[in-house]
Amino acid sequence: KMAGSSAPWVGSAYLFLQSTCKTIVLPSLYESSQKKPSVFKALKLAFADSTGSVNGVDMLKVHCSHPHLIVQLKFCKQENCRRFLQSYREGALQESLQNHLQLSLAMTTVPLEMELKAGNEHLDSMLKDEDRCLECIYREKPDRLQDAEITELEECFRSLIVHQSINNNMAVKDCASLNSPPLPCPQGSSLSPQVTFIFQGQEFANRMLTPDDHQKFAKLVSKKWKQVGRSLQKNCRALRDPVIDNLALEYDREGLYEQAYQLLLRFIQSEGKKATIARLIAALEENGLISLAEELLGLHSNEDCS
């Protein structure tokens, strides 16, 4: 039982977040390298409000599963988890997160819907039975360590807090300093993801490639997928010769869509967070695929949120 065990109390849960405003798409905001630190900061501060401590609950990973932003949470003390549940049940967490998102993202309002799960259990249906909720969370042991990306954002957040304590009057403005985290990039500055990039004279927020980008690329690039691959291979070891020719042979029967899909899959898997829209757009521009670049940037769609 929880109380009788001498081992430390550790449990895990998933918090599902969705904005009820159609123009605010939380996963898209988090996927934007420009907005991600602001969303992370809002989450961190709201969780601190709910538990009474910046370290009351740990974020292990943030999943983007449109239209939901899903946060995997780890609790290391029963009392912190209990405080979190009380705050969630009373609506205080929701209100706090809405306020912090509004401030961090400089928006008028960010209305939210929330859902809490532990394993297969939907905790919203049993919130009045706090001990049962605690038991469900305790049963779900965290299945991962903190993501490298979250660790990086945590470091940023800590340095920001220190800076704010030195210079309180810059507290709100300082969220902008998170846009380009002051962290060393061992791979060299040529590959460090820029916050924005220019295409056709317009400025766009850089972001990681999404499944939607992946599918559009595979569908529309057609026979030029090899040329795009050779543009990407200049700073992507996983696409060096003879990988591209091998993909052509291996997926010859499946056709152009699958060949292009597998090419970009290799790029995304090997580059991780550095597999950005800016790098793909540059490769498309280099090969004259301007229409496809415009499609990926939403310039052909009607007023879509990005």
Side-chain angles (χ1 to χ4, degrees):
K1 271 291 189 192
M2 292 187 294
S5 172
S6 58
W9 196 96
V10 176
S12 180
Y14 285 90
L15 181 65
F16 288 69
L17 301 166
Q18 179 183 356
S19 172
T20 53
C21 175
K22 286 182 181 177
T23 57
I24 300 171
V25 185
L26 291 178
S28 297
L29 289 171
Y30 192 79
E31 283 165 345
S32 155
S33 58
Q34 205 173 12
K35 300 288 187 186
K36 178 178 290 182
S38 300
V39 176
F40 180 83
K41 178 187 174 192
L43 289 167
K44 191 75 181 167
L45 292 174
F47 294 150
D49 289 346
S50 71
T51 58
S53 164
V54 174
N55 302 313
V57 56
D58 294 326
M59 281 186 268
L60 298 183
K61 184 173 176 63
V62 178
H63 306 261
C64 292
S65 178
H66 291 256
H68 291 99
L69 198 66
I70 308 170
V71 189
Q72 186 175 5
L73 302 171
K74 175 186 174 185
F75 299 92
C76 290
K77 288 184 180 176
Q78 186 179 332
E79 54 267 36
N80 286 339
C81 189
R82 197 179 286 278
R83 283 194 205 103
F84 176 89
L85 285 169
Q86 288 168 351
S87 176
Y88 181 84
R89 185 178 67 238
E90 292 162 6
L93 174 63
Q94 183 175 1
E95 189 178 339
S96 173
L97 185 50
Q98 286 176 167
N99 291 338
H100 286 302
L101 282 168
Q102 188 179 329
L103 283 170
S104 291
L105 296 167
M107 291 181 170
T108 50
T109 179
V110 185
L112 293 176
E113 278 182 356
M114 307 173 87
E115 189 179 358
L116 193 62
K117 294 182 185 178
N120 296 321
E121 300 286 354
H122 293 251
L123 302 185
D124 294 66
S125 62
M126 59 176 89
L127 287 172
K128 288 181 180 176
D129 190 345
E130 198 173 279
D131 286 336
R132 190 177 163 208
C133 288
L134 285 166
E135 189 68 56
C136 291
I137 291 170
Y138 178 72
R139 269 203 313 267
E140 290 299 315
K141 298 304 178 196
D143 60 356
R144 62 164 69 241
L145 296 173
Q146 192 172 66
D147 260 25
E149 180 181 63
I150 298 287
T151 306
E152 203 171 277
L153 287 162
E154 289 275 9
E155 286 176 27
C156 255
F157 180 80
R158 278 195 293 272
S159 66
L160 180 76
I161 294 298
V162 170
H163 187 68
Q164 283 179 1
S165 66
I166 296 167
N167 202 349
N168 276 330
N169 66 332
M170 288 181 71
V172 175
K173 292 179 188 174
D174 269 358
C175 67
S177 71
L178 274 173
N179 287 345
S180 45
L183 297 167
C185 180
Q187 285 80 4
S189 58
S190 65
L191 281 186
S192 59
Q194 67 264 47
V195 173
T196 60
F197 66 99
I198 303 295
F199 172 74
Q200 305 276 289
Q202 279 184 259
E203 190 175 14
F204 292 89
N206 197 9
R207 55 175 172 75
M208 287 170 64
L209 292 170
T210 66
D212 190 45
D213 298 327
H214 197 164
Q215 287 173 0
K216 279 182 182 174
F217 171 81
K219 186 179 174 183
L220 301 170
V221 70
S222 192
K223 292 178 182 177
K224 284 201 170 182
W225 70 270
K226 276 190 177 182
Q227 288 98 305
V228 176
R230 293 200 171 98
S231 294
L232 290 171
Q233 78 178 187
K234 292 170 189 173
N235 48 25
C236 176
R237 200 171 295 156
L239 294 181
R240 298 278 158 86
D241 292 331
V243 172
I244 293 171
D245 290 330
N246 288 348
L247 285 173
L249 290 169
E250 192 177 343
Y251 295 96
D252 181 47
R253 283 188 175 185
E254 285 86 346
L256 292 172
Y257 176 92
E258 193 60 31
Q259 289 168 330
Y261 188 90
Q262 292 297 327
L263 171 85
L264 203 57
L265 182 63
R266 298 287 195 287
F267 177 67
I268 291 167
Q269 286 176 337
S270 68
E271 296 297 295
K273 288 184 288 180
K274 295 187 178 65
T276 61
I277 190 72
R279 289 174 70 185
L280 182 56
I281 294 298
L284 293 173
E285 271 194 290
E286 196 173 301
N287 292 283
L289 294 165
I290 303 304
S291 181
L292 175 49
E294 289 173 347
E295 184 70 38
L296 291 177
L297 293 172
L299 297 177
H300 288 174
S301 56
N302 37 7
E303 304 286 343
D304 273 355
C305 280
S306 58

PDB file of all heavy atoms in Angstrom, residues 38-54 59 93 96-97 99-101 103-104 157 160-161 164 171 175:
ATOM      1  N   SER A  38       7.559  29.970 -24.469  1.00  0.00           N
ATOM      2  CA  SER A  38       6.487  30.700 -23.783  1.00  0.00           C
ATOM      3  C   SER A  38       5.413  29.744 -23.277  1.00  0.00           C
ATOM      4  O   SER A  38       4.885  29.909 -22.172  1.00  0.00           O
ATOM      5  CB  SER A  38       5.866  31.731 -24.730  1.00  0.00           C
ATOM      6  OG  SER A  38       6.832  32.659 -25.152  1.00  0.00           O
ATOM      7  N   VAL A  39       5.086  28.737 -24.093  1.00  0.00           N
ATOM      8  CA  VAL A  39       4.097  27.736 -23.661  1.00  0.00           C
ATOM      9  C   VAL A  39       4.655  26.938 -22.486  1.00  0.00           C
ATOM     10  O   VAL A  39       3.961  26.690 -21.493  1.00  0.00           O
ATOM     11  CB  VAL A  39       3.729  26.784 -24.833  1.00  0.00           C
ATOM     12  CG1 VAL A  39       2.776  25.698 -24.354  1.00  0.00           C
ATOM     13  CG2 VAL A  39       3.106  27.565 -25.988  1.00  0.00           C
ATOM     14  N   PHE A  40       5.931  26.551 -22.582  1.00  0.00           N
ATOM     15  CA  PHE A  40       6.564  25.792 -21.503  1.00  0.00           C
ATOM     16  C   PHE A  40       6.570  26.599 -20.200  1.00  0.00           C
ATOM     17  O   PHE A  40       6.261  26.079 -19.129  1.00  0.00           O
ATOM     18  CB  PHE A  40       8.007  25.430 -21.886  1.00  0.00           C
ATOM     19  CG  PHE A  40       8.733  24.659 -20.826  1.00  0.00           C
ATOM     20  CD1 PHE A  40       8.577  23.283 -20.710  1.00  0.00           C
ATOM     21  CD2 PHE A  40       9.552  25.304 -19.907  1.00  0.00           C
ATOM     22  CE1 PHE A  40       9.226  22.572 -19.716  1.00  0.00           C
ATOM     23  CE2 PHE A  40      10.214  24.607 -18.910  1.00  0.00           C
ATOM     24  CZ  PHE A  40      10.051  23.235 -18.818  1.00  0.00           C
ATOM     25  N   LYS A  41       6.902  27.883 -20.322  1.00  0.00           N
ATOM     26  CA  LYS A  41       6.941  28.751 -19.135  1.00  0.00           C
ATOM     27  C   LYS A  41       5.563  28.814 -18.471  1.00  0.00           C
ATOM     28  O   LYS A  41       5.448  28.725 -17.240  1.00  0.00           O
ATOM     29  CB  LYS A  41       7.386  30.152 -19.566  1.00  0.00           C
ATOM     30  CG  LYS A  41       7.430  31.166 -18.424  1.00  0.00           C
ATOM     31  CD  LYS A  41       7.706  32.551 -18.971  1.00  0.00           C
ATOM     32  CE  LYS A  41       7.603  33.587 -17.870  1.00  0.00           C
ATOM     33  NZ  LYS A  41       7.583  34.957 -18.390  1.00  0.00           N
ATOM     34  N   ALA A  42       4.511  28.942 -19.284  1.00  0.00           N
ATOM     35  CA  ALA A  42       3.149  29.004 -18.740  1.00  0.00           C
ATOM     36  C   ALA A  42       2.790  27.711 -18.011  1.00  0.00           C
ATOM     37  O   ALA A  42       2.211  27.733 -16.919  1.00  0.00           O
ATOM     38  CB  ALA A  42       2.153  29.278 -19.865  1.00  0.00           C
ATOM     39  N   LEU A  43       3.147  26.558 -18.615  1.00  0.00           N
ATOM     40  CA  LEU A  43       2.891  25.267 -17.972  1.00  0.00           C
ATOM     41  C   LEU A  43       3.627  25.183 -16.643  1.00  0.00           C
ATOM     42  O   LEU A  43       3.060  24.792 -15.615  1.00  0.00           O
ATOM     43  CB  LEU A  43       3.353  24.131 -18.892  1.00  0.00           C
ATOM     44  CG  LEU A  43       2.535  23.869 -20.158  1.00  0.00           C
ATOM     45  CD1 LEU A  43       3.299  22.945 -21.099  1.00  0.00           C
ATOM     46  CD2 LEU A  43       1.172  23.273 -19.818  1.00  0.00           C
ATOM     47  N   LYS A  44       4.895  25.535 -16.670  1.00  0.00           N
ATOM     48  CA  LYS A  44       5.746  25.436 -15.472  1.00  0.00           C
ATOM     49  C   LYS A  44       5.194  26.295 -14.330  1.00  0.00           C
ATOM     50  O   LYS A  44       5.119  25.847 -13.176  1.00  0.00           O
ATOM     51  CB  LYS A  44       7.168  25.872 -15.847  1.00  0.00           C
ATOM     52  CG  LYS A  44       8.217  25.591 -14.802  1.00  0.00           C
ATOM     53  CD  LYS A  44       8.591  24.137 -14.752  1.00  0.00           C
ATOM     54  CE  LYS A  44       9.622  23.882 -13.671  1.00  0.00           C
ATOM     55  NZ  LYS A  44       9.775  22.461 -13.382  1.00  0.00           N
ATOM     56  N   LEU A  45       4.796  27.514 -14.640  1.00  0.00           N
ATOM     57  CA  LEU A  45       4.293  28.426 -13.605  1.00  0.00           C
ATOM     58  C   LEU A  45       2.933  27.975 -13.076  1.00  0.00           C
ATOM     59  O   LEU A  45       2.668  28.072 -11.877  1.00  0.00           O
ATOM     60  CB  LEU A  45       4.204  29.852 -14.168  1.00  0.00           C
ATOM     61  CG  LEU A  45       5.548  30.530 -14.475  1.00  0.00           C
ATOM     62  CD1 LEU A  45       5.322  31.873 -15.161  1.00  0.00           C
ATOM     63  CD2 LEU A  45       6.377  30.722 -13.204  1.00  0.00           C
ATOM     64  N   ALA A  46       2.092  27.457 -13.974  1.00  0.00           N
ATOM     65  CA  ALA A  46       0.770  26.981 -13.532  1.00  0.00           C
ATOM     66  C   ALA A  46       0.905  25.759 -12.627  1.00  0.00           C
ATOM     67  O   ALA A  46       0.205  25.645 -11.607  1.00  0.00           O
ATOM     68  CB  ALA A  46      -0.099  26.653 -14.750  1.00  0.00           C
ATOM     69  N   PHE A  47       1.820  24.855 -12.958  1.00  0.00           N
ATOM     70  CA  PHE A  47       2.041  23.676 -12.112  1.00  0.00           C
ATOM     71  C   PHE A  47       2.630  24.083 -10.762  1.00  0.00           C
ATOM     72  O   PHE A  47       2.325  23.490  -9.730  1.00  0.00           O
ATOM     73  CB  PHE A  47       2.945  22.661 -12.815  1.00  0.00           C
ATOM     74  CG  PHE A  47       2.337  22.036 -14.037  1.00  0.00           C
ATOM     75  CD1 PHE A  47       3.120  21.612 -15.096  1.00  0.00           C
ATOM     76  CD2 PHE A  47       0.955  21.877 -14.138  1.00  0.00           C
ATOM     77  CE1 PHE A  47       2.555  21.043 -16.232  1.00  0.00           C
ATOM     78  CE2 PHE A  47       0.373  21.314 -15.261  1.00  0.00           C
ATOM     79  CZ  PHE A  47       1.175  20.892 -16.319  1.00  0.00           C
ATOM     80  N   ALA A  48       3.485  25.103 -10.792  1.00  0.00           N
ATOM     81  CA  ALA A  48       4.049  25.615  -9.527  1.00  0.00           C
ATOM     82  C   ALA A  48       2.939  26.203  -8.658  1.00  0.00           C
ATOM     83  O   ALA A  48       2.907  26.001  -7.443  1.00  0.00           O
ATOM     84  CB  ALA A  48       5.116  26.669  -9.827  1.00  0.00           C
ATOM     85  N   ASP A  49       2.007  26.930  -9.296  1.00  0.00           N
ATOM     86  CA  ASP A  49       0.863  27.479  -8.551  1.00  0.00           C
ATOM     87  C   ASP A  49       0.042  26.357  -7.924  1.00  0.00           C
ATOM     88  O   ASP A  49      -0.415  26.455  -6.785  1.00  0.00           O
ATOM     89  CB  ASP A  49      -0.055  28.276  -9.498  1.00  0.00           C
ATOM     90  CG  ASP A  49       0.567  29.591  -9.960  1.00  0.00           C
ATOM     91  OD1 ASP A  49       1.577  30.014  -9.361  1.00  0.00           O
ATOM     92  OD2 ASP A  49       0.045  30.182 -10.927  1.00  0.00           O
ATOM     93  N   SER A  50      -0.151  25.274  -8.670  1.00  0.00           N
ATOM     94  CA  SER A  50      -1.048  24.204  -8.215  1.00  0.00           C
ATOM     95  C   SER A  50      -0.458  23.385  -7.070  1.00  0.00           C
ATOM     96  O   SER A  50      -1.191  22.856  -6.242  1.00  0.00           O
ATOM     97  CB  SER A  50      -1.399  23.269  -9.374  1.00  0.00           C
ATOM     98  OG  SER A  50      -0.282  22.482  -9.737  1.00  0.00           O
ATOM     99  N   THR A  51       0.882  23.277  -7.012  1.00  0.00           N
ATOM    100  CA  THR A  51       1.505  22.447  -5.970  1.00  0.00           C
ATOM    101  C   THR A  51       2.185  23.272  -4.883  1.00  0.00           C
ATOM    102  O   THR A  51       2.591  22.731  -3.856  1.00  0.00           O
ATOM    103  CB  THR A  51       2.565  21.516  -6.585  1.00  0.00           C
ATOM    104  OG1 THR A  51       3.561  22.306  -7.263  1.00  0.00           O
ATOM    105  CG2 THR A  51       1.939  20.553  -7.577  1.00  0.00           C
ATOM    106  N   GLY A  52       2.321  24.578  -5.127  1.00  0.00           N
ATOM    107  CA  GLY A  52       2.985  25.446  -4.156  1.00  0.00           C
ATOM    108  C   GLY A  52       4.489  25.411  -4.256  1.00  0.00           C
ATOM    109  O   GLY A  52       5.187  25.935  -3.392  1.00  0.00           O
ATOM    110  N   SER A  53       5.019  24.788  -5.323  1.00  0.00           N
ATOM    111  CA  SER A  53       6.473  24.689  -5.482  1.00  0.00           C
ATOM    112  C   SER A  53       6.826  24.535  -6.953  1.00  0.00           C
ATOM    113  O   SER A  53       6.122  23.841  -7.697  1.00  0.00           O
ATOM    114  CB  SER A  53       7.022  23.491  -4.706  1.00  0.00           C
ATOM    115  OG  SER A  53       8.335  23.170  -5.138  1.00  0.00           O
ATOM    116  N   VAL A  54       7.926  25.166  -7.383  1.00  0.00           N
ATOM    117  CA  VAL A  54       8.395  25.026  -8.766  1.00  0.00           C
ATOM    118  C   VAL A  54       8.765  23.570  -9.053  1.00  0.00           C
ATOM    119  O   VAL A  54       8.699  23.113 -10.186  1.00  0.00           O
ATOM    120  CB  VAL A  54       9.608  25.965  -9.031  1.00  0.00           C
ATOM    121  CG1 VAL A  54      10.195  25.732 -10.411  1.00  0.00           C
ATOM    122  CG2 VAL A  54       9.175  27.414  -8.921  1.00  0.00           C
ATOM    123  N   MET A  59       7.669  17.700 -15.476  1.00  0.00           N
ATOM    124  CA  MET A  59       7.200  17.389 -16.825  1.00  0.00           C
ATOM    125  C   MET A  59       8.238  16.472 -17.459  1.00  0.00           C
ATOM    126  O   MET A  59       9.413  16.819 -17.522  1.00  0.00           O
ATOM    127  CB  MET A  59       7.066  18.668 -17.652  1.00  0.00           C
ATOM    128  CG  MET A  59       5.817  19.449 -17.371  1.00  0.00           C
ATOM    129  SD  MET A  59       5.646  20.863 -18.498  1.00  0.00           S
ATOM    130  CE  MET A  59       6.449  22.143 -17.538  1.00  0.00           C
ATOM    131  N   LEU A  93      -6.196  25.241 -11.305  1.00  0.00           N
ATOM    132  CA  LEU A  93      -5.127  24.959 -12.263  1.00  0.00           C
ATOM    133  C   LEU A  93      -5.502  25.478 -13.651  1.00  0.00           C
ATOM    134  O   LEU A  93      -4.693  26.108 -14.335  1.00  0.00           O
ATOM    135  CB  LEU A  93      -4.844  23.459 -12.326  1.00  0.00           C
ATOM    136  CG  LEU A  93      -3.836  23.022 -13.401  1.00  0.00           C
ATOM    137  CD1 LEU A  93      -2.463  23.627 -13.152  1.00  0.00           C
ATOM    138  CD2 LEU A  93      -3.724  21.506 -13.475  1.00  0.00           C
ATOM    139  N   SER A  96      -5.275  29.259 -13.658  1.00  0.00           N
ATOM    140  CA  SER A  96      -3.871  29.675 -13.604  1.00  0.00           C
ATOM    141  C   SER A  96      -3.196  29.491 -14.954  1.00  0.00           C
ATOM    142  O   SER A  96      -2.492  30.382 -15.449  1.00  0.00           O
ATOM    143  CB  SER A  96      -3.134  28.862 -12.534  1.00  0.00           C
ATOM    144  OG  SER A  96      -1.755  29.132 -12.558  1.00  0.00           O
ATOM    145  N   LEU A  97      -3.425  28.342 -15.582  1.00  0.00           N
ATOM    146  CA  LEU A  97      -2.788  28.064 -16.869  1.00  0.00           C
ATOM    147  C   LEU A  97      -3.305  29.011 -17.951  1.00  0.00           C
ATOM    148  O   LEU A  97      -2.530  29.513 -18.775  1.00  0.00           O
ATOM    149  CB  LEU A  97      -3.024  26.604 -17.267  1.00  0.00           C
ATOM    150  CG  LEU A  97      -2.307  26.128 -18.536  1.00  0.00           C
ATOM    151  CD1 LEU A  97      -0.827  26.475 -18.511  1.00  0.00           C
ATOM    152  CD2 LEU A  97      -2.477  24.625 -18.705  1.00  0.00           C
ATOM    153  N   ASN A  99      -4.341  32.032 -17.502  1.00  0.00           N
ATOM    154  CA  ASN A  99      -3.728  33.342 -17.239  1.00  0.00           C
ATOM    155  C   ASN A  99      -2.273  33.388 -17.678  1.00  0.00           C
ATOM    156  O   ASN A  99      -1.825  34.363 -18.288  1.00  0.00           O
ATOM    157  CB  ASN A  99      -3.834  33.696 -15.747  1.00  0.00           C
ATOM    158  CG  ASN A  99      -5.261  33.983 -15.323  1.00  0.00           C
ATOM    159  OD1 ASN A  99      -6.102  34.318 -16.161  1.00  0.00           O
ATOM    160  ND2 ASN A  99      -5.553  33.852 -14.040  1.00  0.00           N
ATOM    161  N   HIS A 100      -1.514  32.331 -17.348  1.00  0.00           N
ATOM    162  CA  HIS A 100      -0.090  32.310 -17.704  1.00  0.00           C
ATOM    163  C   HIS A 100       0.113  32.225 -19.217  1.00  0.00           C
ATOM    164  O   HIS A 100       1.024  32.842 -19.766  1.00  0.00           O
ATOM    165  CB  HIS A 100       0.629  31.159 -16.999  1.00  0.00           C
ATOM    166  CG  HIS A 100       0.865  31.397 -15.542  1.00  0.00           C
ATOM    167  ND1 HIS A 100       1.576  32.489 -15.072  1.00  0.00           N
ATOM    168  CD2 HIS A 100       0.492  30.695 -14.433  1.00  0.00           C
ATOM    169  CE1 HIS A 100       1.626  32.452 -13.744  1.00  0.00           C
ATOM    170  NE2 HIS A 100       0.968  31.377 -13.338  1.00  0.00           N
ATOM    171  N   LEU A 101      -0.728  31.461 -19.902  1.00  0.00           N
ATOM    172  CA  LEU A 101      -0.639  31.392 -21.365  1.00  0.00           C
ATOM    173  C   LEU A 101      -0.963  32.747 -21.984  1.00  0.00           C
ATOM    174  O   LEU A 101      -0.306  33.194 -22.930  1.00  0.00           O
ATOM    175  CB  LEU A 101      -1.608  30.333 -21.911  1.00  0.00           C
ATOM    176  CG  LEU A 101      -1.163  28.880 -21.783  1.00  0.00           C
ATOM    177  CD1 LEU A 101      -2.328  27.938 -22.092  1.00  0.00           C
ATOM    178  CD2 LEU A 101       0.022  28.560 -22.695  1.00  0.00           C
ATOM    179  N   LEU A 103      -0.521  35.685 -20.658  1.00  0.00           N
ATOM    180  CA  LEU A 103       0.620  36.589 -20.451  1.00  0.00           C
ATOM    181  C   LEU A 103       1.816  36.216 -21.317  1.00  0.00           C
ATOM    182  O   LEU A 103       2.406  37.053 -21.992  1.00  0.00           O
ATOM    183  CB  LEU A 103       1.042  36.573 -18.971  1.00  0.00           C
ATOM    184  CG  LEU A 103       0.182  37.369 -17.998  1.00  0.00           C
ATOM    185  CD1 LEU A 103       0.580  37.048 -16.569  1.00  0.00           C
ATOM    186  CD2 LEU A 103       0.332  38.874 -18.260  1.00  0.00           C
ATOM    187  N   SER A 104       2.170  34.920 -21.301  1.00  0.00           N
ATOM    188  CA  SER A 104       3.364  34.472 -22.018  1.00  0.00           C
ATOM    189  C   SER A 104       3.244  34.652 -23.523  1.00  0.00           C
ATOM    190  O   SER A 104       4.209  34.978 -24.202  1.00  0.00           O
ATOM    191  CB  SER A 104       3.661  32.997 -21.717  1.00  0.00           C
ATOM    192  OG  SER A 104       4.080  32.840 -20.388  1.00  0.00           O
ATOM    193  N   PHE A 157      14.383  28.055 -18.200  1.00  0.00           N
ATOM    194  CA  PHE A 157      13.416  28.590 -17.240  1.00  0.00           C
ATOM    195  C   PHE A 157      14.126  28.987 -15.941  1.00  0.00           C
ATOM    196  O   PHE A 157      13.878  30.054 -15.393  1.00  0.00           O
ATOM    197  CB  PHE A 157      12.344  27.529 -16.956  1.00  0.00           C
ATOM    198  CG  PHE A 157      11.291  27.978 -15.976  1.00  0.00           C
ATOM    199  CD1 PHE A 157      10.246  28.790 -16.379  1.00  0.00           C
ATOM    200  CD2 PHE A 157      11.354  27.586 -14.642  1.00  0.00           C
ATOM    201  CE1 PHE A 157       9.279  29.203 -15.479  1.00  0.00           C
ATOM    202  CE2 PHE A 157      10.394  27.992 -13.733  1.00  0.00           C
ATOM    203  CZ  PHE A 157       9.353  28.805 -14.162  1.00  0.00           C
ATOM    204  N   LEU A 160      16.089  32.080 -16.334  1.00  0.00           N
ATOM    205  CA  LEU A 160      15.165  33.210 -16.417  1.00  0.00           C
ATOM    206  C   LEU A 160      14.720  33.657 -15.029  1.00  0.00           C
ATOM    207  O   LEU A 160      14.687  34.848 -14.729  1.00  0.00           O
ATOM    208  CB  LEU A 160      13.943  32.802 -17.247  1.00  0.00           C
ATOM    209  CG  LEU A 160      12.867  33.867 -17.434  1.00  0.00           C
ATOM    210  CD1 LEU A 160      13.314  34.887 -18.457  1.00  0.00           C
ATOM    211  CD2 LEU A 160      11.568  33.240 -17.868  1.00  0.00           C
ATOM    212  N   ILE A 161      14.382  32.675 -14.172  1.00  0.00           N
ATOM    213  CA  ILE A 161      13.941  32.979 -12.809  1.00  0.00           C
ATOM    214  C   ILE A 161      15.044  33.731 -12.051  1.00  0.00           C
ATOM    215  O   ILE A 161      14.791  34.717 -11.368  1.00  0.00           O
ATOM    216  CB  ILE A 161      13.558  31.682 -12.049  1.00  0.00           C
ATOM    217  CG1 ILE A 161      12.321  31.035 -12.696  1.00  0.00           C
ATOM    218  CG2 ILE A 161      13.320  31.942 -10.576  1.00  0.00           C
ATOM    219  CD1 ILE A 161      11.069  31.883 -12.654  1.00  0.00           C
ATOM    220  N   GLN A 164      15.230  37.203 -13.358  1.00  0.00           N
ATOM    221  CA  GLN A 164      14.101  38.014 -12.912  1.00  0.00           C
ATOM    222  C   GLN A 164      14.279  38.466 -11.467  1.00  0.00           C
ATOM    223  O   GLN A 164      13.903  39.572 -11.109  1.00  0.00           O
ATOM    224  CB  GLN A 164      12.802  37.219 -13.030  1.00  0.00           C
ATOM    225  CG  GLN A 164      12.301  37.132 -14.465  1.00  0.00           C
ATOM    226  CD  GLN A 164      11.033  36.316 -14.563  1.00  0.00           C
ATOM    227  OE1 GLN A 164      10.531  35.837 -13.556  1.00  0.00           O
ATOM    228  NE2 GLN A 164      10.547  36.151 -15.766  1.00  0.00           N
ATOM    229  N   ALA A 171      10.335  41.300 -15.595  1.00  0.00           N
ATOM    230  CA  ALA A 171       9.764  39.950 -15.460  1.00  0.00           C
ATOM    231  C   ALA A 171       8.943  39.512 -16.664  1.00  0.00           C
ATOM    232  O   ALA A 171       9.085  38.402 -17.139  1.00  0.00           O
ATOM    233  CB  ALA A 171       8.896  39.884 -14.201  1.00  0.00           C
ATOM    234  N   CYS A 175      10.305  36.915 -20.978  1.00  0.00           N
ATOM    235  CA  CYS A 175       9.916  35.671 -21.652  1.00  0.00           C
ATOM    236  C   CYS A 175      10.453  35.675 -23.080  1.00  0.00           C
ATOM    237  O   CYS A 175      10.688  34.637 -23.666  1.00  0.00           O
ATOM    238  CB  CYS A 175       8.415  35.453 -21.634  1.00  0.00           C
ATOM    239  SG  CYS A 175       7.496  36.649 -22.605  1.00  0.00           S
TER     240      CYS A 175
END
